[in-house]
Structures are given as C-alpha cells and as structure tokens.
Amino acid sequence: VKQSGGNDTVFYSSEMDEEYRFKRQLSSNLRQAMENDTLEVHYQPQCHADSHEIMAFEALLRWNDPQMGNIPPSRFIPVAEETGLINQVGEWVLRKACQEAASWRKPLGIGVNLSAVQLQDLELPNLVRRIVEQSGLEPKRLELEVTETALIHNPARSMKILSDIKKLGVRIAMDDFGTGYSSLATLQNFPVDRIKIDQSFIAKLIGNDQAVAIVRAVINLSHDLNLSVIAEGVETDDQARFLTDNDCNEVQGYKYGYPRPINEYWHVVHPNSND
Ligand code: C2E
Ligand code: CA
Ligand code: CA
Ligand code: CA
C-alpha cells in the first residue's frame, strides 16, 4: 500500500487484491470443474426467419460452481483467457457440442464460439479435425463463431488458421458483426460464410433511424457478398417483423428460444421419436 496516496489509493489497491484473489480462485475452480465434468453446455435455437423452423443451435457455456454459484461466461471467459485455461475450456466445449450434435437424429447445425486466444494457435485446425473425426459429426454441420477483434491481433496467422479450418469443410461465422474497428476490411480479407449482426443493433432497432439503416445495410451487404446473415438478440415481434421484411435469413433470440439444456429441445433434435 502506497503511503502518499491517501484513502483512495488504499481502497483502490485493496480492491485490486480482491480482484486478483477472485481471479485466482475462479481459475482454480474452473480447472476443477473441467476435471469433474461439471461445466455445462446450453443450446439456443437459430431459426429460419420466415418459417421459424430451427436450423441450428449455438452452444453456450454454463457454470454453476459449488462454492461460487452461477458464474456467467462474460465473467469467467475473460479470466480463462488471461490464464490460458481457455484452450482447455475451448477444447472441452467443442468436443462436448460435436458429440452432442452427432447423436441427434435430425442433422441440424451446431455453432461453437472460439476465443481470440484459440485463434492464435496454429494447431487449432488439427484439433478441430480430430474432434470432428472422433465425434463422427459431418464437418459441414459445424460452424465456428469468431469475432473481428479476435482476427485483427495477428491477421496473417488468424487467416492461415481460418482457411485451414475451412478446408475441413467446417463453416465460419463472424460474430458480433459491426462492433469491431474495421468490419468491412475484415469481411474482405477473411473467409467467412456467415454474418451475425450484433445484438446491440437489434436492441436499438425499433424507433432508431441509425440502427435501422445499419441493419439494412449489413443485410444487403451480406447478400451482395453471397453470405448468409443471422440477427441475434431478437426478443420482440416488431424486431422479428423488421428482419423478415428486410430479408434477414435467420434469427436467434429469446423470442425463439432461450439457451437451455438439450433435453428441453429433445423433440426438435429427435423428431418422430417417443423416448
Ligand atoms: P455471444 O457469443 O455473442 O452469445 C450471445 C449471448 O447473448 C449469450 O449470452 C446469449 O445467452 C445471449 N442472448 C441470446 N438471445 C438473447 C436475447 O434475445 N436477448 C439478450 N439480451 N441476450 C440474448 P451468454 O450465454 O451469457 O454468453 C455471453 C458471451 O460469452 C457469448 O457472447 C460469448 O462471447 C461468450 N461465450 C459463451 N460460451 C462460450 C464458449 O463456449 N466459448 C467462448 N470462447 N465464449 C463463450
Ligand atoms: Ca456467439
Ligand atoms: Ca454474438
Ligand atoms: Ca457478444
């Protein structure tokens, strides 16, 4: 503790200590959770915008720690990225989601998020190939979601990694589109199959001329580039109507389904079955 800093400094540094201790405990509990297989994956539907038919699910991590309670991914993913634990967590969730999807009677798509840290690892394509092969999942059913921010840190390397992944027949989606620094350049340079319009634009859509213009432009741009486009964070009928009227291909959000354990979507992935 600094002598000269007064109360503010003392308070600030003890807060830092607390944050540091919290992160250390969180990392150690997260490692434990993986070893004990107590992390969970929830699945959120991605639907055809016109028919609302479920086309795919996005895998989202959930963690209920016995000591620390429910910890949202927005809290533990950044810490796992700092400590490098994200590589194991990322491998775990990819394997889990691929195995799960491979067991479905209906061959729906499966989306899995990749962290910026994973996108620095030249071994990632090999890992993806092994997991896809071992799970028996058809590669084209898998879509990996990456953010633009993850790509610009080391563009040449990310580019190599993404194109090696695409050679496997696995698809790439640009997540949180529109929130990075150079969205348009990223699109031109990276081999993506699909754009996910960030939920912040969808949240502002109704009654906000700027958001309307941006979402329309992104949808048109996607079509012009022959990319499929999905909007995330769709909650209301008005948002849904706007998106279908403007030819958005797919939609995802609480309006169509919450992220839930796959049991709750059992009859979607096993249609015409009685069990
Ligand atoms: P994301 O990939 O952008 O995921 C979308 C987030 O929006 C999810 O939050 C989802 O539950 C939430 N969401 C879905 N529909 C709606 C809606 O209609 N309204 C609102 N307000 N929110 C909606 P979640 O599950 O808390 O995940 C937050 C972030 O954590 C994800 O953002 C992703 O960046 C990260 N994350 C989650 N699972 C993983 C994972 O397995 N690996 C990695 N690397 N990141 C993950
Ligand atoms: Ca995502
Ligand atoms: Ca997103
Ligand atoms: Ca996001």
Side-chain angles (χ1 to χ4, degrees), residues 44 58 61-62 73 93 113 115 175-176 199 233 235 253-254 259:
Q44 185 179 35
E58 177 177 358
L61 270 170
R62 293 292 178 265
V93 67
N113 292 284
S115 145
D175 204 355
D176 301 350
Q199 54 189 56
E235 297 181 357
Y254 297 161

Side-chain angles (χ1 to χ4, degrees), residues 15 103 146 220:
E15 239 185 14
S103 77
V146 306
N220 289 333

Side-chain angles (χ1 to χ4, degrees), residues 163-254:
S163 54
D164 284 353
I165 289 176
K166 273 193 63 77
K167 283 182 202 145
L168 305 170
V170 170
R171 296 154 45 88
I172 307 288
M174 182 73 79
D175 204 355
D176 301 350
F177 186 77
T179 61
Y181 279 108
S182 58
S183 307
L184 300 180
T186 322
L187 272 192
Q188 191 175 30
N189 295 328
F190 291 94
V192 307
D193 300 281
R194 153 143 114 149
I195 290 178
K196 295 194 80 172
I197 305 177
D198 190 65
Q199 54 189 56
S200 60
F201 299 109
I202 307 305
K204 285 184 288 200
L205 199 51
I206 302 308
N208 182 319
D209 292 348
Q210 277 89 13
V212 163
I214 291 170
V215 171
R216 279 209 183 104
V218 172
I219 294 172
N220 289 333
L221 175 71
S222 308
H223 293 326
D224 289 346
L225 293 172
N226 273 318
L227 304 176
S228 163
V229 58
I230 177 167
E232 60 179 1
V234 183
E235 297 181 357
T236 70
D237 294 342
D238 285 347
Q239 293 166 340
R241 196 170 317 109
F242 177 91
L243 292 163
T244 40
D245 286 351
N246 285 278
D247 296 323
C248 190
N249 302 112
E250 288 185 27
V251 283
Q252 177 179 358
Y254 297 161

Side-chain angles (χ1 to χ4, degrees), residues 66-138:
Q67 274 178 301
M68 304 169 87
N70 260 317
I71 307 169
S74 58
R75 190 71 178 104
F76 70 79
I77 298 280
V79 179
E81 288 179 330
E82 273 179 49
T83 59
L85 198 56
I86 190 66
N87 286 306
Q88 282 153 270
V89 173
E91 178 173 345
W92 184 91
V93 67
L94 181 62
R95 179 168 287 117
K96 196 82 171 179
C98 288
Q99 286 172 346
E100 178 56 49
S103 77
W104 300 340
R105 180 180 297 195
K106 191 172 184 182
L108 296 169
I110 178 75
V112 179
N113 292 284
L114 287 186
S115 145
V117 174
Q118 292 174 281
L119 277 163
Q120 296 306 314
D121 180 5
L122 285 165
E123 277 302 304
L124 181 67
N126 272 327
L127 180 71
V128 173
R129 184 181 45 73
R130 270 204 313 280
I131 290 178
V132 167
E133 277 173 12
Q134 287 165 359
S135 67
L137 186 75
E138 271 183 292

